[in-house]
Amino acid sequence: MTRLLNGISWVGLAVVGLAVSACGKTDTKPEATTDQKPATPAKADDSTRFKGQTLNLLTWEGYADPKFTKGFEEKYGVTVKGTYFGSSDELVAKLKSSPGVYDVVSPSSDVAYSLVQGGLIEPIDTSKISSFNDLAKEIRDMDDAKKGDKLYGIPFTWGPDYLIYDANVVKEEPKSWKVFYDPQYKGKVSLWDDISNIYLVGQIMGLDKDKPEALYNMTEEQLAEAKKKLVELKPQVRKYWATAGELNDLFKNKEVVLAVGWPLTVGTLNKEGMNLKGVVPEEGATGWIDRLMIPSSSKNKELATLYLDYVTQPKAQALVMDATGGYCVANSKASEHLAEDYKKSPCVTEAANYFKRLNFWRYAKDRKRYNEVWNEIKSAQ
């Protein structure tokens, strides 16, 4: 996600940042990845036959960072160019309107399914992904990236949409999302400008206790109730944030003390001396998984497959975590190459617990209706 622009969802691997909050990065950096080997023996001319080509990525901001793309560029003599999007809906629109432009996309788990089922994505030959079996099984095998017996996407990063609070002001750890409605925090709450707030209220309503998918298939009556609760919350909300930088500023300027956010914010601001903490409330939290997929219209599918192989290997994944400020990554072996502080991240130490507690975004059949409801909430007086 990133959610670097917007600001960032089970087990096996990785690394987040509830705890990144408490740890500043050390000077120890993951090593460059130019010595990594592809899953299958490289063809003799792999290092030269792609020379001069450009691999175009359509990604969340931060997912084309030179920290982890440079080694790939040097290995194959190519250029990796990133085009960023700010929301899942924007990704879908850009991909559909520009066939043949993009070679790799990074959809989140809420729209990956529709891209696959819509024929916009190429199946992945997993025998060419050397670290495939090291990627967290719980997110690797989800249905959103499958069609028939074929796999169309592999997990890249993941993380929680958890509750962030300023521990210097909120002295007791919030146990419930209902803290957002506490009168003492009127005007001190910030929500992401996204339909995921409807999922959040669905959790407060307990809709997903027995059926996790219920959050993404709410009835009209349930949507109306969620709308009512989110409109009631509006006086508490200082601002709906659109980017991670915007949320950072809201906390730094003491404009808010509670928010929905990602580990990126906690990790970034605590390095600057703040005392933010992240928590998964008793109702649970949603989470996201960002996948790597190859569009059917890509003109560089071979190079794109080599890229997927490269950036899912342990050293590259460690660099991804470093570049994104602490996003969980899909390859658990990345921890062997992480700076010491990142090894303490809950992504590493509590990944199994997260995978159990997070309700990861799923395909919402009537996503259009969710967007309509969210816009109605924002415009309500």
Side-chain angles (χ1 to χ4, degrees):
M1 191 171 304
T2 114
R3 292 171 186 97
L4 290 182
L5 178 67
N6 295 321
I8 258 72
S9 300
W10 292 294
V11 169
L13 68 70
V15 211
V16 156
L18 288 181
V20 168
S21 60
C23 332
K25 238 184 309 181
T26 69
D27 291 333
T28 303
K29 301 291 183 184
E31 299 173 8
T33 59
T34 53
D35 60 341
Q36 292 168 345
K37 300 177 181 178
T40 54
K43 296 178 182 178
D45 61 350
D46 264 0
S47 62
T48 58
R49 68 193 179 107
F50 298 106
K51 189 173 183 179
Q53 293 186 17
T54 297
L55 190 73
N56 289 293
L57 313 184
L58 178 59
T59 73
W60 292 102
E61 188 175 353
Y63 285 5
D65 193 288
K67 283 186 178 180
F68 58 85
T69 62
K70 184 179 178 181
F72 180 78
E73 291 179 318
E74 293 175 347
K75 185 179 182 71
Y76 295 104
V78 300
T79 298
V80 175
K81 181 182 178 182
T83 298
Y84 298 131
F85 58 83
S87 70
S88 293
D89 293 302
E90 184 182 351
L91 176 154
V92 175
K94 285 186 173 180
L95 182 59
K96 288 184 175 179
S97 64
S98 305
V101 172
Y102 303 110
D103 303 305
V104 176
V105 297
S106 61
S108 300
S109 45
D110 55 342
V111 296
Y113 179 84
S114 63
L115 296 180
V116 171
Q117 300 302 317
L120 297 173
I121 302 298
E122 188 79 0
I124 290 176
D125 183 349
T126 58
S127 69
K128 295 182 178 179
I129 308 299
S130 56
S131 293
F132 183 74
N133 291 328
D134 295 326
L135 304 179
K137 187 176 186 303
E138 290 79 358
I139 52 178
R140 188 190 66 198
D141 295 340
M142 285 183 69
D143 290 340
D144 65 295
K146 291 182 176 179
K147 185 178 182 180
D149 59 353
K150 295 181 179 179
L151 186 68
Y152 289 77
I154 56 176
F156 181 52
T157 61
W158 63 277
D161 308 300
Y162 61 10
L163 191 160
I164 299 175
Y165 66 100
D166 185 338
N168 288 338
V169 179
V170 183
K171 298 299 183 182
E172 293 187 15
E173 179 179 283
K175 303 298 183 187
S176 168
W177 288 108
K178 294 176 183 175
V179 69
F180 283 178
Y181 292 86
D182 189 328
Q184 68 176 310
Y185 301 123
K186 184 176 182 179
K188 293 290 186 180
V189 176
S190 187
L191 305 180
W192 184 24
D193 186 357
D194 185 80
I195 63 170
S196 57
N197 294 307
I198 298 174
Y199 309 154
L200 184 157
V201 172
Q203 288 190 303
I204 295 176
M205 295 162 62
L207 300 182
D208 63 340
K209 284 186 175 179
D210 299 321
K211 294 182 178 180
E213 65 273 19
L215 296 184
Y216 312 100
N217 297 283
M218 292 167 68
T219 65
E220 194 60 38
E221 291 74 21
Q222 291 168 335
L223 286 171
E225 182 64 20
K227 175 183 174 180
K228 179 182 176 183
K229 291 183 180 299
L230 283 165
V231 170
E232 290 175 354
L233 185 60
K234 290 189 75 171
Q236 298 288 108
V237 177
R238 171 68 181 85
K239 190 172 186 179
Y240 299 119
W241 59 267
T243 69
E246 189 174 14
L247 180 58
N248 290 353
D249 288 342
L250 289 169
F251 272 114
K252 284 195 292 188
N253 296 332
K254 309 295 183 185
E255 294 182 71
V256 301
V257 298
L258 295 165
V260 177
W262 302 307
L264 172 70
T265 291
V266 178
T268 299
L269 295 186
N270 283 355
K271 290 175 188 172
E272 299 178 16
M274 294 199 71
N275 185 22
L276 301 188
K277 294 184 178 180
V279 62
V280 177
E282 60 189 11
E283 299 95 340
T286 58
W288 48 270
I289 307 165
D290 289 342
R291 301 195 178 280
L292 295 178
M293 294 181 163
I294 301 173
S296 302
S297 59
S298 167
K299 298 173 182 176
N300 300 293
K301 293 187 176 70
E302 276 192 87
L303 187 59
T305 300
L306 289 170
Y307 182 76
L308 265 58
D309 172 61
Y310 185 88
V311 297
T312 51
Q313 293 178 33
K315 288 183 179 178
Q317 287 268 277
L319 290 167
V320 169
M321 187 174 184
D322 183 56
T324 57
Y327 285 3
C328 303
V329 293
N331 191 326
S332 60
K333 292 185 176 178
S335 61
E336 300 170 9
H337 305 280
L338 292 171
E340 290 303 315
D341 282 350
Y342 279 137
K343 290 180 180 179
K344 300 174 185 175
S345 164
C347 288
V348 175
T349 62
E350 298 185 34
N353 182 46
Y354 277 164
F355 287 138
K356 290 178 181 176
R357 297 194 62 197
L358 297 181
N359 185 339
F360 287 94
W361 294 354
R362 303 180 185 215
Y363 170 65
K365 185 177 180 180
D366 201 352
R367 185 179 180 88
K368 180 182 177 182
R369 181 60 184 141
Y370 276 66
N371 273 305
E372 289 173 350
V373 172
W374 177 237
N375 286 327
E376 291 168 4
I377 293 165
K378 289 192 293 182
S379 62
Q381 300 298 318

